[in-house]
Amino acid sequence: MEKFTTLTGVAAPMPLVNIDTDMIIPKQFLKTIQRSGLGKNLFDEMRYTPDGKEIPDFVLNQPAYRNAQILVAGDNFGCGSSREHAPWALLDFGIRCVISTSFADIFFNNCFKNGILPVVLPQEAVDHLMDDARKGANARITVDLESQTVTASDGTTFHFEVDPFKKHCLLNGLDDIGLTLEKVAAIDSYEAKAATLRPWA
């Protein structure tokens, strides 16, 4: 998993509340078990007409936000079903951070396991960042995981809380497999001892 330390990038404003996982990645795209390739279908029913043409008014179709790496979203982001394809699609598009006043629990945890930082901030802070994001590509927001801060383009800084273990995993690029591999020496030692004690196993 790619490490997350400091990110400075374009933030796209998505002020909708209750953006659920079916909006993030509709059910017809859940057949794959590969993490790559889902970015083109991110927010598919909001981005495209039924015949596949882009909807110009949708924020990620606008030139200023096509390379957005941050989403500033409304309350309760990621609600709905527990599909891990939702963070896969966000990450494949290029989104590394989502900022909101609250997240659905399963989506929130899935973000950390896939290299995305979900930032919870008070409403007034999200409103400020939403206004900043509406300025377009010239308004770049900086998210610093080490110092746990989000800095708007005007220099206003907001502090956020994050679980120390989840922070450690993101800073070091450790998903569940990476965490297991950190213990490979202890696992090998255990297996060697077990083979001696129980050679028939």
Side-chain angles (χ1 to χ4, degrees):
M1 185 172 78
E2 186 178 350
K3 296 179 181 180
F4 189 113
T5 52
T6 302
L7 170 67
T8 297
V10 174
M14 293 193 71
L16 295 173
V17 299
N18 302 321
I19 294 176
D20 65 31
T21 53
D22 193 55
M23 295 166 70
I24 297 170
I25 184 71
K27 58 186 178 299
Q28 62 266 32
F29 303 110
L30 303 186
K31 298 173 185 176
T32 181
I33 57 171
Q34 295 184 353
R35 299 186 184 198
S36 60
L38 289 170
K40 65 181 180 297
N41 302 118
L42 178 69
F43 298 113
D44 191 86
E45 293 174 1
M46 302 167 71
R47 281 171 72 190
Y48 306 108
T49 62
D51 59 355
K53 294 179 181 177
E54 286 190 353
I55 298 172
D57 290 341
F58 183 68
V59 62
L60 296 181
N61 289 338
Q62 296 172 18
Y65 302 108
R66 285 186 179 273
N67 296 312
Q69 293 177 283
I70 302 165
L71 284 184
V72 183
D75 192 53
N76 197 29
F77 189 90
C79 57
S81 68
S82 60
R83 64 193 69 172
E84 196 168 2
H85 293 68
W88 293 355
L90 287 164
L91 190 63
D92 193 60
F93 180 87
I95 302 296
R96 294 295 315 278
C97 177
V98 183
I99 301 169
S100 179
T101 53
S102 70
F103 295 87
D105 288 344
I106 294 175
F107 174 83
F108 184 79
N109 289 318
N110 280 340
C111 281
F112 283 101
K113 292 181 178 183
N114 287 281
I116 297 173
L117 174 62
V119 173
V120 178
L121 288 173
Q123 186 65 61
E124 57 270 22
V126 173
D127 289 344
H128 185 102
L129 294 169
M130 191 77 73
D131 289 341
D132 198 37
R134 289 189 176 106
K135 296 175 184 176
N138 291 327
R140 299 171 72 81
I141 290 175
T142 296
V143 182
D144 188 324
L145 179 55
E146 185 64 55
S147 65
Q148 297 177 209
T149 57
V150 178
T151 305
S153 64
D154 64 2
T156 304
T157 297
F158 304 98
H159 184 270
F160 62 89
E161 297 298 326
V162 62
D163 176 82
F165 176 70
K166 289 182 171 68
K167 177 179 179 178
H168 167 78
C169 290
L170 267 186
L171 285 173
N172 292 282
L174 298 172
D175 57 12
D176 289 347
I177 294 173
L179 285 167
T180 302
L181 290 175
E182 280 194 320
K183 308 295 184 183
V184 70
I187 293 169
D188 288 345
S189 176
Y190 172 83
E191 292 292 342
K193 184 177 180 181
T196 302
L197 294 174
R198 298 184 296 277
W200 61 87

